[in-house]
Amino acid sequence: MNKAYGVVAVLVAVLLLAVSSISAAPLYPHIALTQNNRVAYISYFTTVAISDKPTVRWGTQSRQYTYTATGSSNSYGGVGFSHDIPLTNLSQNTRYYYIAGSPSDGWTAEYNFYLKNDDVPVTSADPVVVPVYGDMGIVNSEYTIKALRAYAPKVDFFFHVGDISYANNRPSELYERVWDEWFYNMSSVLPYYPYMVCPGNHEDKSGKPTLPWSEKFAVYNSRFRMPGNDNNMWYSFNYRNVHFISISTETDFPGSEFSDEFGNQLSWLENDLKEA
């Protein structure tokens, strides 16, 4: 390990030491769009299994939560537990306030997001604004995060096109901690604005020695909840009159870097384009 990585490893360990002892307290809430413009997903993370169903309480006024929804949970390797809750029957041009967690395990702080009018066609005077970027990580990413915060009030959603945390660039004992730090660093963006992702090669598995439970994009597919498939490798959705398609450049096509693991991507893509 070179000196720079050693310093990062120490900082990650110090910053996230408390996380490992937080039990089932909800961490790192974030928002994703779906294939239904009246539905959004809120996801969060815990370091141990929770005792209740994952829950979001929300409403149109701060501290007044009119609605409650529950969702589902998944885990990888017994070290990370992700929880996804769909919020349904949402109204557009509306700001929502929410907390995530459960009565037994505690709640996040209150966050809010604004759901824009998805029915208005895109025009030059009223465009869809989507920052698209990749290759972020936790080293020198403060400049990117600062730019995201500056753009945030003007955007419809963010699209992170792979190589998200670069956790696989560290020794495997730091794998989860680096993922946690990335989410922690992004806490001024993720709970407030829809954040869409697609996989890069750095999401495939941990650094060496490889953690078996991290293989085949397991952490990426667990920590995020994208539209459509039972995984996040490829998907599509409509936003206003724009059809967005996210594909995997890592798996499931002839000559792909990693083995075919998630299905017939090319057949899916052909059918999706026919229907668009």
Side-chain angles (χ1 to χ4, degrees), residues 2-22:
N2 65 33
K3 184 176 181 180
Y5 282 2
V7 171
V8 170
V10 171
L11 289 175
V12 170
V14 171
L15 284 171
L16 299 169
L17 182 61
V19 169
S20 62
S21 62
I22 290 179

Side-chain angles (χ1 to χ4, degrees), residues 24-87:
L27 302 167
Y28 320 131
H30 51 105
I31 309 169
L33 301 173
T34 72
Q35 293 173 327
N36 184 332
N37 59 16
R38 297 296 188 273
V39 179
Y41 263 95
I42 302 293
S43 300
Y44 70 91
F45 182 80
T46 60
T47 58
V48 300
I50 62 176
S51 54
D52 290 327
K53 287 185 177 181
T55 302
V56 171
R57 299 175 60 198
W58 81 97
T60 57
Q61 296 183 6
S62 177
R63 309 293 179 185
Q64 298 184 30
Y65 309 122
T66 309
Y67 310 103
T68 300
T70 59
S72 59
S73 302
N74 67 86
S75 180
Y76 52 88
V79 299
F81 297 80
S82 297
H83 315 282
D84 308 309
I85 304 96
L87 309 189

Side-chain angles (χ1 to χ4, degrees), residues 15 45 57 86 113 116-117 119 139 153-154 182 185 235 237:
L15 284 171
F45 182 80
R57 299 175 60 198
F113 67 94
K116 294 187 176 181
N117 191 345
D119 295 328
V139 178
K154 306 172 185 177
W182 183 84
N185 290 347
Y235 58 89
F237 62 97

